[in-house]
Amino acid sequence: MASESMTTQTTSWFGSTTEQSGPRSPPQYALVASATINLEASNLELVTEVVNALSDVVEPATGQTTLSLYEYVNPDALEDIIGASASKKSDVEVRFTVEDYLVTIRSNNTILIYEPLGAHRGTGENPCPAS
């Protein structure tokens, strides 16, 4: 083939290696944003960084001007889980959804935001059609 196709990083709710039995397969998501933060150097809270990353991607519901993380996850518990895993040098990954976006927070202070495949803005079509 003369042209190269663009590869999109995808995942499902339970990760890309999970097999699903039954008539419906889990929704697939495409990575749309990521951030790695150094909380010690920036003196910022994890929750603040998550909200900042989300606000660049997620459009608030009609009439809303802010995004409240409390509607989707307990921010105090999120900080406790990530903080405890960092102090114990264990790897943890917390996943939750905001609107239709899948948000992944890792204990290495990485924030990944995925949107459902087929929801790519501007095209209205799925970039990876079902086979």
Side-chain angles (χ1 to χ4, degrees):
M1 194 182 259
S3 65
E4 293 183 28
S5 62
M6 189 170 135
T7 304
T8 302
Q9 183 178 348
T10 63
T11 190
S12 66
W13 178 260
F14 294 105
S16 57
T17 60
T18 302
E19 292 183 21
Q20 175 80 11
S21 62
R24 292 186 61 199
S25 60
Q28 293 289 307
Y29 296 88
L31 182 66
V32 293
S34 65
T36 302
I37 54 172
N38 183 346
L39 296 175
E40 294 170 1
S42 65
N43 289 327
L44 293 174
E45 295 182 15
L46 176 65
V47 171
T48 302
E49 289 300 313
V50 171
V51 170
N52 289 339
L54 280 166
S55 66
D56 291 340
V57 176
V58 177
E59 295 178 22
T62 306
Q64 274 188 316
T65 57
T66 61
L67 176 67
S68 175
L69 202 55
Y70 284 98
E71 295 176 28
Y72 305 99
V73 67
N74 181 328
D76 296 328
L78 178 63
E79 285 187 340
D80 289 347
I81 290 168
I82 298 300
S85 68
S87 68
K88 293 180 181 179
K89 296 184 179 17
S90 63
D91 293 330
V92 170
E93 183 174 278
V94 177
R95 290 183 174 202
F96 57 94
T97 57
V98 173
E99 303 298 325
D100 290 330
Y101 293 85
L102 175 64
V103 180
T104 301
I105 313 297
R106 294 183 176 157
S107 55
N108 65 355
N109 294 324
T110 301
I111 302 166
L112 304 170
I113 302 173
Y114 299 88
E115 71 178 352
L117 286 177
H120 292 282
R121 292 173 290 266
T123 64
E125 59 186 64
N126 190 336
C128 300
S131 48

